[in-house]
Amino acid sequence: AVPTENTKMISAVLVLCALASGCWGRPTLGYLDNGFAEENDSEEVRSEALKRLLEVFGMGDAPHARGLHKQPPQYMLDLYNTIADADGVTKYPDLLEGNTVRSFFDKLHSEQIQFMFSLSTVAKTEKVLTAELHLFKLRPQSSVVFSKQHFCQVSVYQLLDNSKLNISQSRKLLSSRLLPVHTTGWEVFSITHAVRSWMAEEGSNLELMVVVRTLGGSQMDAKLVRFASGRSHHQSKQPMLVLFTDDGEREASLEHTLQDLDKDSALPSVPHVQSPAGARSARSLGDEDSLACKRQPLYVDFEEIGWSNWIVSPRGYNAYHCKGSCPFPLGQNMRPTNHATVQSIINALKLTKGVNTPCCVPDKLFSINLLYFDDDENVVLKQYDNMVAGSCGCH
């Protein structure tokens, strides 16, 4: 029996089939007489196929390639390599709470410890799970390296009115921590509640300010505690807002809904029924085994379909597809459900008209991850469910 498949997975297979092997219907002879019409129709099919594939990846249009002259933040590269293998397939499905991670660079580029982030690319329907401000703490300048100060109080404020920076009512405290004065490296501040409230305000930008004070509450020497700014320091040290969200489209993959199908073997098995055609020869069994339901390669090359200008990783991935027959009697190597086994028996005995043999379909699906630049030159890591056929079975 053919189970109801995830519609996005079906769309992806159809699109890949169209792009890779031309599996659309063969044109008529009259159609082939018109080469111009054939060329136009071929381009139209390709355009429609790419449009459908973008929909599978949750996009209306392919992002512009403006961001590729930039190096993705090392944090995003490390996160991608932690959760995905070389083909983008998820190694640790439960590592991310949501399915999307975005990095935003500072838009203000001020010499002061003041930042602005535009989250216009985040859909209002997305649920903000965690928001972090990542700042790179620089080494103290040599002239003050022997300061007696060992710790400082670093506070992050949301600016409510940037024309009144020194008035307490014009800013809201978001996070505050003690930091060692003489260390260097990335420091992370949680600003989740501020981003959630900010997302509810249409058309506004999130402006932040960092204040550094001594333990006694006085202003800290700016040469002693310094953070990299968007204007004066290397791209690898740029101030960054990292947003973890969920777009609500995560769903239980087939591997969880079918519970690996191995549990079926613990159920009472259907008695063996001799095929009406009689015993088969060893040669015919061997031939059928070579044609039996198996997983076959199906490589998706992002460069070949013109997406390599905005996708950072992976360069492509093996989606696989299921191909082959499900002949009677179904062996356990075909991972059949009990329903498929019964259907196979009914088909073999011709007990009911119109009952086909079971179909070879994916019975385990894995997610993949894309790391890419969006239209605003932000780097996005997104996880897509049910994109790789992990194994095949007769259903």
Side-chain angles (χ1 to χ4, degrees):
V2 181
T4 301
E5 292 291 332
N6 177 276
T7 55
K8 288 188 177 180
M9 185 63 182
I10 294 175
S11 297
V13 172
L14 290 175
V15 168
L16 296 173
C17 188
L19 293 172
S21 59
C23 66
W24 300 97
R26 188 186 181 97
T28 63
L29 183 61
Y31 176 84
L32 291 176
D33 289 338
N34 189 338
F36 180 76
E38 178 185 4
E39 181 180 345
N40 277 4
D41 190 73
S42 175
E43 186 61 34
E44 185 178 338
V45 169
R46 176 180 173 83
S47 177
E48 180 62 23
L50 289 175
K51 180 181 178 182
R52 293 293 300 275
L53 190 57
L54 280 169
E55 291 174 359
V56 171
F57 288 103
M59 303 177 190
D61 297 296
H64 300 302
R66 294 177 301 172
L68 280 193
H69 65 280
K70 290 189 174 183
Q71 176 69 20
Q74 190 62 43
Y75 175 84
M76 298 296 287
L77 291 171
D78 291 344
L79 183 60
Y80 173 85
N81 290 327
T82 298
I83 67 174
D85 65 13
D87 288 330
V89 179
T90 305
K91 294 188 291 186
Y92 305 106
D94 300 322
L95 187 61
L96 292 180
E97 183 182 355
N99 64 353
T100 309
V101 185
R102 288 184 174 87
S103 58
F104 301 87
F105 287 114
D106 169 43
K107 298 289 187 182
L108 201 56
H109 303 298
S110 170
E111 290 288 358
Q112 307 300 318
I113 317 179
Q114 190 175 338
F115 317 104
M116 182 177 71
F117 299 96
S118 174
L119 308 188
S120 58
T121 56
V122 183
K124 296 297 182 182
T125 54
E126 288 191 45
K127 181 180 179 182
V128 176
L129 304 174
T130 303
E132 299 173 342
L133 176 64
H134 291 224
L135 299 178
F136 190 86
K137 187 173 177 296
L138 302 166
R139 295 185 185 279
Q141 291 185 349
S142 57
S143 60
V144 292
V145 74
F146 298 109
S147 169
K148 295 181 180 179
Q149 299 286 345
H150 296 290
F151 288 91
C152 61
Q153 184 81 32
V154 179
S155 302
V156 179
Y157 292 90
Q158 179 181 0
L159 292 180
L160 306 177
D161 185 350
N162 57 15
S163 65
K164 303 175 181 178
L165 300 182
N166 295 321
I167 302 176
S168 59
Q169 290 83 358
S170 67
R171 61 193 190 191
K172 178 182 178 182
L173 180 63
L174 303 180
S175 180
S176 186
R177 295 205 344 252
L178 286 179
L179 294 181
V181 168
H182 297 283
T183 59
T184 184
W186 286 100
E187 298 293 343
V188 179
F189 301 86
S190 176
I191 56 172
T192 305
H193 294 298
V195 171
R196 284 175 180 169
S197 62
W198 174 84
M199 286 290 294
E201 299 178 19
E202 195 73 30
S204 61
N205 290 318
L206 182 63
E207 293 193 47
L208 304 172
M209 182 173 67
V210 175
V211 176
V212 183
R213 298 187 180 278
T214 66
L215 297 187
S218 59
Q219 195 75 28
M220 178 67 74
D221 186 341
K223 295 181 179 180
L224 187 60
V225 178
R226 304 181 301 141
F227 290 96
S229 69
R231 175 180 296 182
S232 307
H233 299 96
H234 191 268
Q235 185 177 322
S236 64
K237 300 176 181 178
Q238 294 290 294
M240 183 172 60
L241 173 65
V242 178
L243 201 61
F244 295 79
T245 68
D246 196 301
D247 61 11
E249 294 186 4
R250 299 199 80 170
E251 52 191 69
S253 65
L254 205 56
E255 64 174 305
H256 295 304
T257 58
L258 296 182
Q259 296 298 314
D260 288 338
L261 292 176
D262 290 333
K263 295 180 181 178
D264 286 340
S265 60
L267 299 174
S269 58
V270 178
H272 176 75
V273 179
Q274 178 65 41
S275 170
R280 290 169 289 180
S281 67
R283 179 178 179 180
S284 66
L285 286 172
D287 292 341
E288 288 189 2
D289 183 65
S290 65
L291 299 175
C293 177
K294 288 187 180 68
R295 190 176 75 154
Q296 305 286 347
L298 176 60
Y299 189 76
V300 184
D301 190 328
F302 291 136
E303 182 173 2
E304 187 174 329
I305 62 178
W307 287 6
S308 60
N309 58 346
W310 55 274
I311 293 180
V312 178
S313 290
R315 309 312 292 172
Y317 77 100
N318 203 333
Y320 294 99
H321 71 114
C322 297
K323 183 178 180 180
S325 61
C326 294
F328 174 85
L330 296 179
Q332 286 304 308
N333 62 315
M334 298 181 185
R335 299 171 64 86
T337 60
N338 280 346
H339 181 274
T341 302
V342 172
Q343 180 173 325
S344 176
I345 292 171
I346 298 300
N347 172 269
L349 295 178
K350 310 297 182 186
L351 297 179
T352 303
K353 291 183 178 180
V355 176
N356 296 323
T357 58
C359 294
C360 179
V361 295
D363 61 12
K364 183 179 290 187
L365 293 166
F366 300 132
S367 61
I368 66 164
N369 302 267
L370 289 190
L371 188 69
Y372 63 91
F373 284 97
D374 68 11
D375 280 330
D376 204 25
E377 299 188 1
N378 304 311
V379 177
V380 182
L381 169 60
K382 190 157 187 176
Q383 196 169 94
Y384 299 89
D385 289 339
N386 300 340
M387 296 297 290
V388 175
S391 61
C392 301
C394 293
H395 294 228

